[in-house]
Amino acid sequence: MGEHVRDEDLLEKVTNLAKRRGFFFPSAEIYGGFRSAYDYGPLGVNVLRNVKNAWWRSMVQMRVDVVGLDAAILGPPAIWAASGHLETFTDPLVDCRKCKERWREDKIDGVCPNCGSSEFTEARAFNLMFKTQAGPVEGEGATAYLRPETAQGMFTNFANVLATTRRKPPFGIAQVGKSFRNEITPQNSIFRTREFEQMEMEFFVAPPEADTWYRYWIETRFAWYLALGIAPEKLRLHEHEAKDLSHYSRGTTDVEFDFPWGWDELEGIANRGDYDLTQHANASGVRLEYFDQATNERYVPYVIEPAAGATRAMMAFLLAAYEEEIVEGETRIVLRLHPRLAPYQVAVLPLSKKPELEALSREVLSLLQPHVMCDFDVTQSIGRRYRRQDEIGTPLCVTIDFDSLEDRSVTVRDRDSMAQTRVSIDDLAATILSRLD
Ligand code: ATP
């Protein structure tokens, strides 16, 4: 009976919901906003954290062949000279001759999205790196860059990780963190911003095994989005043609999501060959190789890299989850987020403000809080409170009523089916945990 909203309204509806309920806000809003930056509010910070935790769980926690890393955001020019970013990390910038707006040439199909003109200046290569200075003295030696991707931290620490963890190929290094790109046209809410979060993993393999692992990671990463509740028809793989590959890549496949404005990239999986380790070895003079004692062979591993955006994935999860349906003549907004991604897994709701009910509710709350994020809401009718929880994606509501005082049981109400079941307080935590996957 769910009635889906039309796609053209979806972006606006989700962005409005985000603002109204506290998922994300335009940054520095009281000063008129700041260049498409966003701040994540009380609900959004939970979702974003959950997205990153779900990634970490699948990529690090559940494996023995991947270890984690948290590298510095600021780095010296040497890293970015070796990686090729100083030279080639550019987008083609054009100016509209009529309205003077600036655009990224490869994103506009020859027509100015602002005024419709098709007259542009020649494209210039615009470097996307944010440059700053480290320390109080200006000058060349003080130049630093904010990283535009997390990946380089894994390459520059390759030898450290190898020496400290005794790993051998195939093995990976994973990192989640902020990256910065001076995007020409940030757009579509949190889809493309200048400050964003990435979830990247560099998987080092023996060169003859690179293609097998490349296929493996494409499949594994695609399955991750499905397991977290995105419908298969909303996802597809797009393999880049050889002529479109980045300078380092021997093969790239994107996981794409059906965004309201069309298919667009969620994540790229690339076979980077030995490009990065070779570049850094040459530039630093430090050997970045693996010596295989079994075969007495020394080689530079190839790298398979699944590179995803955490903030961008959050946007896709919200869009995929948003639904409006008519229930008893009224529109119900429901975010069908996977329980692991929802801002709260449970809302604890005393039926009325009577002190005995509130006391028992607080007892229930403290039983659940060690396990899951809980909301606690005592205001307005229970029907309204259910709707408020539906709208933010809370999978389960626990209602404490007057019978609860007698039988120490509570009502557990399911977001998706709206079905209600009675559960003893003693079994509550176990029941709830069993319904999270
Ligand atoms: P695009 O071509 O869209 O600019 P890209 O192909 O350069 O992106 P990658 O360098 O492969 O992107 O980055 C890996 C992932 O990081 C992307 O798939 C995306 O999820 C995320 N990402 C990249 N740039 C941004 C951004 N400006 N805002 C939000 N997420 C981003």
Side-chain angles (χ1 to χ4, degrees):
M1 70 191 208
E3 191 182 294
H4 290 272
V5 288
R6 283 172 301 128
D7 261 4
E8 58 260 39
D9 300 335
L10 186 59
L11 182 62
E12 206 189 319
K13 290 195 171 186
V14 169
T15 316
N16 287 344
L17 177 70
K19 175 90 203 305
R20 181 159 50 81
R21 296 304 310 271
F23 285 90
F24 49 83
F25 314 111
S27 196
E29 203 178 9
I30 59 168
Y31 293 103
F34 179 67
R35 299 176 178 272
S36 303
Y38 286 89
D39 297 340
Y40 293 80
L43 299 186
V45 72
N46 288 351
V47 179
L48 186 56
R49 211 169 257 234
N50 291 343
V51 169
K52 293 184 286 185
N53 285 346
W55 187 89
W56 196 263
R57 184 171 186 263
S58 122
M59 300 296 276
V60 183
Q61 185 181 335
M62 308 273 285
R63 308 185 65 100
V64 289
D65 56 357
V66 179
V67 294
L69 181 78
D70 192 36
I73 288 172
L74 278 176
I79 292 182
W80 310 105
S83 68
H85 282 80
L86 287 184
E87 187 91 25
T88 58
F89 196 58
T90 59
D91 277 339
L93 171 74
V94 292
D95 295 331
C96 171
R97 286 194 193 277
K98 202 162 152 210
C99 72
K100 312 290 180 217
E101 279 288 322
R102 296 196 146 166
W103 303 104
R104 195 172 136 180
E105 189 190 32
D106 58 329
K107 294 282 177 191
I108 55 169
D109 288 330
V111 179
C112 175
N114 186 44
C115 74
S117 160
S118 51
E119 283 184 49
F120 295 96
T121 56
E122 283 291 304
R124 281 162 293 152
F126 174 74
N127 193 291
L128 301 180
M129 302 257 285
F130 279 100
K131 193 175 182 177
T132 185
Q133 66 171 65
V137 184
E138 283 188 42
E140 260 316 291
T143 300
Y145 289 92
L146 302 188
R147 65 183 180 195
E149 60 175 33
T150 62
Q152 298 305 320
M154 278 75 105
F155 303 128
T156 54
N157 282 290
F158 174 76
N160 285 337
V161 173
L162 211 53
T164 53
T165 66
R166 305 171 59 84
R167 288 294 192 284
K168 54 183 189 183
F171 82 101
I173 310 177
Q175 177 168 207
V176 172
K178 290 232 169 170
S179 294
F180 301 82
R181 296 182 188 181
N182 198 1
E183 298 280 359
I184 296 168
T185 38
Q187 61 197 164
N188 294 328
S189 175
I190 59 171
F191 175 81
R192 185 185 303 286
T193 49
R194 294 195 173 101
E195 175 176 346
F196 55 98
E197 280 199 83
Q198 289 189 305
M199 310 183 287
E200 298 192 295
M201 197 272 288
E202 310 304 317
F203 201 71
F204 301 93
V205 302
E209 294 175 11
D211 200 54
T212 309
W213 281 109
Y214 173 56
R215 302 283 151 204
Y216 167 87
W217 281 112
I218 293 170
E219 229 173 81
T220 304
R221 293 303 307 146
F222 193 81
W224 184 79
Y225 294 97
L226 290 175
L228 287 172
I230 298 187
E233 62 273 18
K234 289 259 162 199
L235 291 169
R236 74 176 190 193
L237 290 172
H238 165 234
E239 183 149 20
H240 292 212
E241 289 181 38
K243 68 174 173 46
D244 298 329
L245 292 177
S246 320
H247 60 285
Y248 54 76
S249 175
R250 291 162 182 258
T252 298
T253 297
D254 292 341
V255 178
E256 295 187 335
F257 177 74
D258 186 8
F259 285 96
W261 56 91
W263 290 96
D264 218 332
E265 174 179 337
L266 268 185
E267 164 161 1
I269 298 106
N271 174 356
R272 302 174 69 114
D274 60 4
Y275 176 81
D276 308 275
L277 290 180
T278 304
Q279 288 289 106
H280 285 299
N282 290 343
S284 67
V286 176
R287 270 188 167 178
L288 300 175
E289 301 167 334
Y290 176 70
F291 178 66
D292 189 343
Q293 280 173 336
T295 60
N296 240 359
E297 271 183 305
R298 190 178 285 285
Y299 64 87
V300 180
Y302 275 23
V303 171
I304 311 302
E305 174 197 76
T311 40
R312 188 176 288 187
M314 171 172 161
M315 183 82 214
F317 284 123
L318 291 177
L319 289 164
Y322 187 94
E323 221 172 274
E324 287 178 6
E325 57 179 26
I326 306 295
V327 176
E328 289 162 13
E330 276 188 42
T331 303
R332 172 171 99 119
I333 296 177
V334 51
L335 270 191
R336 297 194 195 278
L337 285 170
H338 188 285
R340 279 193 185 276
L341 300 182
Y344 299 112
Q345 282 66 52
V346 177
V348 175
L349 312 172
L351 190 65
S352 87
K353 283 183 180 163
K354 289 267 165 14
E356 318 86 276
L357 280 192
E358 197 159 328
L360 183 58
S361 302
R362 288 196 184 275
E363 189 188 321
V364 168
L365 192 62
S366 51
L367 263 175
L368 298 178
Q369 275 174 326
H371 306 287
V372 289
M373 285 295 297
C374 300
D375 195 9
F376 186 70
D377 187 2
V378 292
T379 57
Q380 295 191 319
S381 75
I382 194 71
R384 285 235 183 143
R385 280 184 273 165
Y386 284 154
R387 291 292 184 272
R388 279 212 294 269
Q389 296 298 331
D390 290 342
E391 191 179 60
I392 62 171
T394 311
L396 298 171
C397 289
V398 170
T399 304
I400 293 88
D401 57 23
F402 291 98
D403 289 342
S404 308
L405 297 173
E406 309 297 323
D407 65 3
R408 289 191 59 86
S409 289
V410 294
T411 300
V412 175
R413 184 259 192 192
D414 181 272
R415 173 194 73 196
D416 294 336
S417 65
M418 295 182 278
Q420 305 191 2
T421 43
R422 205 73 188 159
V423 177
S424 143
I425 290 175
D426 293 338
D427 301 334
L428 190 59
T431 305
I432 283 176
L433 287 176
S434 74
R435 288 171 66 170
L436 290 186
D437 274 313

